[in-house]
Structure formats: C-alpha cells, structure tokens
Amino acid sequence: SQTIHQWPATLVQPVGSPLSLECTVEGTSNPNLYWYRQAAGRGLQLLFYSVGIGQISSEVPQNLSASRPQDRQFILSSKKLLLSDSGFYLCAWSPKFHEQYFGPGTRLTVT
Amino acid sequence: KQEVTQIPAALSVPEGENLVLNCSFTDSAIYNLQWFRQDPGKGLTSLLLIQSSQREQTSGRLNASLDKSSGRSTLYIAASQPGDSATYLCAGGSGNTGKLIFGQGTTLQVKP
C-alpha cells in the first residue's frame, strides 16, 4: 500500500529564515505530487504541483519554491520566510488525475 | 472554471441522527468527486471517491452520491456518532490538469 510522509510535523521559524519542508511517498512510482497551504480559518490553497522529476508548476506567485529531485520526493522551500507564510502545509500524491491522497501535514509558525 | 460550494459551513446534531452534507459544483464536466475528512490539526483523510461513470459509493455508515446533471454531490452519514465530529470537504476535478477544486468544508459536531 502507499504511504505519504511529511516532516517536520511542526516548525517554528523567525522571519527572514530559510525553509525546507519534505514530502516523500512510498509504494508507488511516478505519482503526481502537490503542495497545499491551509491558513487559519481558510480553505486549501494549491501552491505547486509536479507531474514528474524536475517538472514543477506554480499556482501562486510568492516567496516559496518547490523542487522534485527524485520521483517520490517533493520539497517546499523558501529563502526568507514572511509572517504570512505561517500555516498548515499539506503534501498530496495522486495515482492518476482528479484523485488525491494527503500526508499528515506540517504546522509552520513564523515569528 | 470549476467552483465547489459546501453548505452549511457548520452543523451540530445529536448523536444517532442521520445527516446529509451537501456539495455543489459549477462544471458538469467533472471527472471525479472526492470526499475527505479533516480532524483539527491533521491532514485530510480520503473517505470516498466517486468516479465520473459512477453515481454513488458506500463505505460503512457513509454513502456518497454524484449527480453531474444537477451539479450536486451528497455525503450521507447514518447513525452519527461523536467520533464523526470533524470537517468534511468535497473536491472535484475537471479539465486536463489533474487538479482538484475544494469546497470550503462543513464542520460537523455530533453531540453525545
């Protein structure tokens, strides 16, 4: 069966510091991968998605970036965090279009 | 452009009641409709996936239906329990990007 991991589970970072969140999927190959952000009291916002290694599509212009160095690894990064980057970050994988499965999430607090 | 709406935003019911959560979408050319559950501070758990050729799916006390012509999906929860308290989200996909469009969710509270 497939499993999706995210780490860290929680993170507290000062404004201006860098960020690296990691997502890995087990038990499948060539999945579509997605990064979402869920701000307090708001819905899910799709940030990036990837249909293959090195293929990243950005949905929202911001100071975040994503990379997919390996088939089942998806990384969300920032060079300098802003207060507005605080939120709950969710990674999801998809075996095929229009069907997604989510990881446990990372709670990021920027202070 | 696909838009997904869930009404009501919040619902409180006594334990044991049968209930229906509603989800509406604007693009009838929807491929799949997926229902999720989210507990506070947790990720989304997939409950049911209704593929475009299907009209409903069942899992235990949950039953989800899809009516593409009317742009509606419903999630029926039978004999609700306090453990069912969570936020329920529906999401639909259309177009050729593989992306899901999410509703804002319905927060359910089942009182003992």
Side-chain angles (χ1 to χ4, degrees), chain B:
Chain B
K1 179 183 175 183
Q2 181 73 273
E3 294 182 4
V4 179
T5 305
Q6 291 185 249
I7 295 173
L11 182 63
S12 181
V13 300
E15 181 177 3
E17 190 163 301
N18 301 325
L19 58 101
V20 174
L21 304 182
N22 295 298
C23 172
S24 60
F25 47 91
T26 55
D27 186 356
S28 62
I30 195 168
Y31 287 118
N32 296 341
L33 195 293
Q34 197 168 1
W35 281 94
F36 297 89
R37 167 184 174 143
Q38 186 176 29
D39 293 289
K42 304 294 185 181
L44 276 66
T45 299
S46 179
L47 297 174
L48 291 165
L49 171 70
I50 310 174
Q51 297 181 347
S52 60
S53 59
Q54 300 172 324
R55 291 188 62 86
E56 66 177 327
Q57 281 287 332
T58 298
S59 176
R61 295 182 293 109
L62 305 179
N63 175 276
S65 66
L66 175 63
D67 185 341
K68 296 171 68 175
S69 62
S70 67
R72 287 185 169 185
S73 176
T74 61
L75 178 66
Y76 174 82
I77 302 177
S80 59
Q81 303 171 357
D84 295 329
S85 299
T87 297
Y88 291 81
L89 297 104
C90 67
S94 59
N96 60 359
T97 63
K99 293 184 288 186
L100 290 180
I101 306 301
F102 284 82
Q104 292 293 309
T106 294
T107 298
L108 172 66
Q109 181 185 32
V110 181
K111 297 180 178 180

Side-chain angles (χ1 to χ4, degrees), chain A:
Chain A
S1 64
Q2 298 81 18
T3 307
I4 180 168
H5 303 279
Q6 287 186 246
W7 61 87
T10 60
L11 191 60
V12 180
Q13 292 283 91
V15 169
S17 63
L19 173 73
S20 181
L21 304 182
E22 189 167 343
C23 170
T24 59
V25 182
E26 296 177 352
T28 187
S29 60
N30 197 30
N32 290 347
L33 296 172
Y34 305 83
W35 277 112
Y36 290 86
R37 176 169 60 202
Q38 190 175 39
R42 300 182 65 180
L44 283 166
Q45 179 185 35
L46 178 62
L47 302 175
F48 302 94
Y49 68 95
S50 171
V51 298
I53 296 175
Q55 300 179 62
I56 310 294
S57 296
S58 175
E59 288 293 297
V60 183
Q62 56 205 329
N63 69 323
L64 299 173
S65 62
S67 62
R68 185 171 177 174
Q70 301 179 39
D71 181 44
R72 291 170 291 171
Q73 184 184 34
F74 206 19
I75 296 174
L76 183 69
S77 303
S78 174
K79 293 182 178 179
K80 290 185 177 181
L81 284 169
L82 306 173
L83 284 175
S84 58
D85 291 324
S86 293
F88 192 48
Y89 287 82
L90 290 158
C91 180
W93 76 278
S94 176
K96 47 189 164 184
F97 276 1
H98 310 122
E99 176 184 346
Q100 294 181 19
Y101 301 91
F102 283 76
T106 294
R107 173 73 59 192
L108 172 65
T109 303
V110 182
T111 60

